[in-house]
Amino acid sequence: MYKTLLAAGICILGMTSLASAQMKKEIVIASEGAYPPFNFMDSNNKLQGFDIDIANALCEKMQVKCTIVAQDWDGIIPALLAKKFDAIVASMTITDERKQQVEFTDRYYRTPLSLAVPKDSPIKDTSVASLKGKTVGAQSSTTQSIYAEDTYGKGGADAKLYPTQDEANADLANGRLDAAVADKFVLVEWLKNSGKDCCKLLGDIEGTMSEAGIAIRKEDKELKAALNKAIKDIVADGTYKKIQDKYFAFDIY
Amino acid sequence: MLRDLLGLVINLDLLDRYGWRFLDGVVVTAQLVTISFILGGVLGLLLGLARLSENLALRWFSGAYIYFFRGSPLLAQLFLLYYGLGSLRGFWTDVGLWWFFREAWYCALLAFTLNTAAYQAEIFRGGIQAVPRGQREAAAALGMHNAIIFAKVVFPQAMIVALRPLGNELILMVKASAIASLVTIYDLMGVTKLAFSRSYNFELYLWAAVLYLIIVECIRRLWAVLERRLTRHLKMGESQPVQAGWLSRMTKSALKPNA
């Protein structure tokens, strides 16, 4: 028993030292897997989506071997800091609060926040006054959850937070929510698919255009430089556009 | 002064930002657990009695109920109720129950009640079966009615056996209630996750752990009081000499009918 434990301990030690020493040739990237079309699980339980394609393209440009893993959103930054992986490519918006914890690369796309509402909704626009007394849902630990709480919430709306966007969408379709706030492209994608019968896009929320970047640990300066260069390269050589056209009919860079 | 002392152990900035919300969270958790535990207790007692019933249908139904609710994860039950039944909006509106299934709070309360009822049913059943048969027979011989036998003779003694496992179940419920945060309820865990997502400070999880610990400690003490109260007749000799004297006189006179 003691020997087995010891052996297991040595194994774990060996693996962690290997991972930290060889960041250059082999990196582990985390995504969420519940945020279509940016990242989601396909029917074979494999990660797919815009984020995943971008991550693979970047790795190819940097000529490193990449493993992409799925990680729950709520724990994704703590897990990065705990060195479970080296980078987060999961449509993470660059914010000041997050910057205190992690380093961000340059943006790899931009998106405004939007509101989706049931088709027969009496809500006229996305202003704070229109949402007064309504129930607004969002995914927790996101920029939209902060917007739902701080802006709509302070204006008299009831903000409900869900572990994933899928669950917020489900509750909008169920009629528990009067509106859901999320990245525009995510809502558009949902409204094209399972949300098309129940709901519609109300519109963009003014002044919420934000940038999605790749999060890495603060000390990994080399990785940051390499990723930034790779982002520039894939935009320049058309790889980015090819990936974008797979998912969107418009420019999101 | 007190603030300075507090500042030595916890982050005062965090306390100012989230202190009250944490207290709200404790209240929500306490309400959720207390109400569902009590309702679950009533339902559990009925199910426990059904388990011991001579009616086959009742025995079968309660057996199946307990089998299902003990055999599947609470999280799955909560999601089934909240997202599964919640998607049948048209039906619930027709039967006038949408106000109930619309609210995450009621869904969580219902899920927890149904779940704990299954566990409590088994605890009550065990407690009732542990009461010696002779007790019931003696009471019947005195001409007591079945309902009175249960209320005055069987149930109090069954509770002595059931009390500790019930306390266990309550403590497990307190901790299991953290999953309510997954259906948008701001219970203690929900508040913790919210505050953590804003600050990324692990200290908040320590607060949550300590607050859960305090809740559990309160339950532990409450249970010690309840147990003392329920078993006071067993300890009379040690702790209440006056009554002990009265009791021993009674016993002596009972043992010596000719005295």
Side-chain angles (χ1 to χ4, degrees):
Chain A
M1 183 62 199
Y2 177 74
K3 271 188 182 164
T4 330
L5 275 179
L6 195 69
I10 290 169
C11 265
I12 291 165
L13 272 180
M15 282 191 297
T16 46
S17 62
L18 201 74
S20 55
Q22 285 303 343
M23 173 213 86
K24 271 294 196 181
K25 288 202 185 79
E26 200 169 342
I27 62 174
V28 181
I29 292 175
S31 200
E32 188 202 3
Y35 209 59
F38 291 101
N39 56 71
F40 55 93
M41 294 290 185
D42 67 8
S43 50
N44 298 324
N45 227 9
K46 272 190 66 180
L47 277 165
Q48 297 287 350
F50 180 81
D51 287 338
I52 313 305
D53 290 354
I54 290 287
N56 282 325
L58 294 175
C59 292
E60 204 172 300
K61 271 277 173 291
M62 296 190 295
Q63 294 181 333
V64 293
K65 192 173 172 299
C66 286
T67 316
I68 301 181
V69 296
Q71 158 75 41
D72 274 354
W73 183 252
D74 275 351
I76 207 163
I77 285 185
L80 173 73
L81 299 177
K83 304 198 173 176
K84 306 274 185 221
F85 36 77
D86 307 297
I88 301 169
V89 186
S91 297
M92 187 174 277
T93 305
I94 303 170
T95 65
D96 290 338
E97 269 178 326
R98 287 181 182 140
K99 271 189 189 161
Q100 291 176 7
Q101 304 289 324
V102 296
E103 188 75 35
F104 280 102
T105 63
D106 299 336
R107 72 156 196 269
Y108 66 97
Y109 75 84
R110 293 197 302 168
T111 169
L113 294 181
S114 285
L115 271 189
V117 293
K119 278 193 171 143
D120 54 359
S121 172
I123 301 172
K124 281 190 217 61
D125 53 55
T126 62
S127 71
V128 176
S130 298
L131 270 296
K132 194 176 174 198
K134 306 286 183 193
T135 310
V136 186
Q139 184 182 8
S140 65
S141 317
T142 59
T143 45
Q144 53 266 33
S145 75
I146 292 175
Y147 197 86
E149 280 237 309
D150 290 0
T151 309
Y152 288 136
K154 293 221 167 92
D158 182 17
K160 291 196 167 230
L161 304 185
Y162 296 82
T164 67
Q165 185 63 41
D166 290 343
E167 285 158 334
N169 291 345
D171 257 6
L172 183 65
N174 286 346
R176 285 199 181 102
L177 296 175
D178 297 313
V181 49
D183 279 353
K184 181 183 186 179
F185 307 133
V186 171
L187 286 177
V188 167
E189 175 74 12
W190 177 65
L191 291 168
K192 265 199 315 209
N193 299 302
S194 50
K196 65 172 176 287
D197 296 324
C198 75
C199 309
K200 63 177 184 191
L201 197 73
L202 189 64
D204 297 352
I205 302 169
E206 224 170 285
T208 56
M209 183 59 91
S210 55
E211 303 188 332
I214 299 168
I216 47 184
R217 284 181 296 273
K218 287 197 171 182
E219 66 267 24
D220 290 345
K221 301 274 186 236
E222 276 175 66
L223 181 60
K224 180 184 173 181
L227 282 167
N228 275 339
K229 185 174 176 301
I231 292 172
K232 264 199 202 94
D233 288 350
I234 61 165
V235 172
D237 75 2
T239 316
Y240 184 92
K241 191 171 180 320
K242 233 185 266 166
I243 296 171
Q244 173 188 291
D245 291 348
K246 217 171 118 185
Y247 299 95
F248 308 102
F250 36 81
D251 183 27
I252 69 166
Y253 181 66
Chain B
M1 175 62 191
L2 181 69
R3 224 183 125 75
D4 293 339
L5 275 176
L6 218 55
L8 292 176
V9 272
I10 56 179
N11 185 329
L12 286 176
D13 176 44
L14 282 180
L15 187 69
D16 289 339
R17 275 159 74 195
Y18 303 113
W20 289 111
R21 294 205 69 153
F22 266 79
L23 282 185
D24 283 345
V26 171
V27 171
V28 170
T29 293
Q31 281 176 335
L32 196 59
V33 172
T34 311
I35 299 174
S36 58
F37 187 77
I38 291 170
L39 292 178
V42 175
L43 185 59
L45 184 58
L46 293 175
L47 283 164
L49 288 172
R51 272 289 260 172
L52 298 167
S53 154
E54 280 164 17
N55 184 325
L56 191 68
L58 274 179
R59 265 208 323 270
W60 187 86
F61 170 78
S62 57
Y65 179 98
I66 293 164
Y67 187 77
F68 175 77
F69 280 97
R70 286 203 314 176
S72 60
L74 180 56
L75 182 62
Q77 292 161 18
L78 180 63
F79 274 25
L80 267 178
L81 261 167
Y82 186 74
Y83 289 112
L85 294 183
S87 63
L88 310 171
R89 184 186 180 179
F91 172 75
W92 296 121
T93 314
D94 287 346
V95 296
L97 281 175
W98 177 240
W99 62 271
F100 185 91
F101 285 97
R102 187 181 203 276
E103 291 301 317
W105 167 260
Y106 290 125
C107 288
L109 204 59
L110 182 62
F112 289 174
T113 301
L114 294 178
N115 183 271
T116 191
Y119 285 93
Q120 292 192 44
E122 282 297 90
I123 295 170
F124 282 125
R125 181 187 62 80
I128 291 167
Q129 282 183 327
V131 177
R133 203 187 171 80
Q135 297 276 333
R136 238 163 298 193
E137 286 168 356
L142 287 171
M144 287 168 103
H145 197 273
N146 264 342
I148 304 284
I149 296 179
F150 181 75
K152 296 276 182 191
V153 178
V154 178
F155 188 66
Q157 297 187 82
M159 277 309 286
I160 297 172
V161 179
L163 193 69
R164 286 283 148 185
L166 281 177
N168 242 345
E169 168 62 11
L170 180 55
I171 286 169
L172 289 173
M173 279 282 294
V174 168
K175 291 179 286 181
S177 74
I179 67 166
S181 64
L182 296 177
V183 291
T184 74
I185 294 174
Y186 290 116
D187 69 333
L188 180 48
M189 198 63 197
V191 171
T192 309
K193 283 191 342 193
L194 179 82
F196 180 74
S197 75
R198 294 291 187 92
S199 63
Y200 298 107
N201 192 326
F202 281 109
E203 188 181 316
L204 292 163
Y205 281 109
L206 198 64
W207 294 12
V210 170
L211 287 170
Y212 276 111
L213 205 68
I214 291 172
I215 297 177
V216 170
E217 175 62 17
C218 291
I219 293 172
R220 201 180 67 81
R221 285 174 185 245
L222 174 68
W223 242 248
V225 171
L226 285 177
E227 186 166 50
R228 271 205 300 280
R229 163 106 194 133
L230 265 179
T231 58
R232 63 196 187 282
H233 62 288
L234 299 176
K235 289 184 186 149
M236 270 175 183
E238 304 147 33
S239 58
Q240 286 161 314
V242 179
Q243 283 185 15
W246 168 83
L247 185 73
S248 61
R249 275 203 305 281
M250 285 286 287
T251 329
K252 265 180 213 153
S253 59
L255 285 174
K256 294 186 214 157
N258 299 328

